[in-house]
Amino acid sequence: MADVTRIDIDGSEVDMDAGQRLLYRGELFTGEVEERLGDALVSLDSYVAGVQHGRSREWYKDGTLRSEATAREGRPAGVSREWHANGTLAAEVVFAEDGPTVLSDRRWDEEGRPTKNWRKSEE
């Protein structure tokens, strides 16, 4: 298996083109893009040919997982989850696999109590 290229989003050789695609050293980037706050990794996203595609994760500065999602050709797909800083699940949104259509949206407060439970009706 080939090594995955990982770059820092704040690096001097990182740019965006007119189509909002990610460039590294002037070329469309394929690999992982990280963002750090000091020594802490706070986000890690996968890109293919300059477009977000694959797994996306964010962490709080203390290392607690903040969110995880999947993108397909720059659009959300599948299940997206967010957590409160205390580690309690905050949101779970399910997207259609072929685009940004939301199929369900569930949310919880910091104590784990449901605050929203929405599901797309089947018409």
Side-chain angles (χ1 to χ4, degrees):
M1 183 171 153
D3 289 333
V4 174
T5 301
R6 185 181 286 186
I7 61 172
D8 182 338
I9 191 68
D10 296 320
S12 62
E13 298 177 299
V14 178
D15 202 358
M16 297 293 268
D17 70 6
Q20 295 300 301
R21 295 175 301 177
L22 188 71
L23 302 173
Y24 178 66
R25 297 181 177 165
E27 301 290 328
L28 293 174
F29 179 74
T30 296
E32 293 180 332
V33 177
E34 68 178 28
E35 182 177 8
R36 292 187 170 274
L37 187 56
D39 290 336
L41 179 65
V42 294
S43 73
L44 186 61
D45 301 307
S46 297
Y47 279 76
V48 174
V51 177
Q52 195 171 357
H53 187 85
R55 193 172 185 184
S56 174
R57 290 175 289 168
E58 294 180 330
W59 294 267
Y60 290 99
K61 191 174 179 183
D62 70 359
T64 302
L65 189 60
R66 182 179 192 150
S67 68
E68 66 180 5
T70 301
R72 301 249 191 284
E73 298 175 355
R75 292 179 286 187
V79 179
S80 171
R81 291 185 182 94
E82 296 177 20
W83 288 266
H84 293 287
N86 67 4
T88 301
L89 187 62
E92 183 177 82
V93 179
V94 178
F95 295 92
E97 289 296 325
D98 60 350
T101 301
V102 176
L103 302 177
S104 69
D105 184 352
R106 299 176 356 174
R107 300 190 183 254
W108 299 267
D109 67 16
E110 290 183 354
E111 302 302 317
R113 293 180 296 252
T115 60
K116 182 177 185 177
N117 188 1
W118 177 87
R119 185 175 302 273
K120 185 176 193 280
S121 64
E122 301 199 20
E123 300 172 8

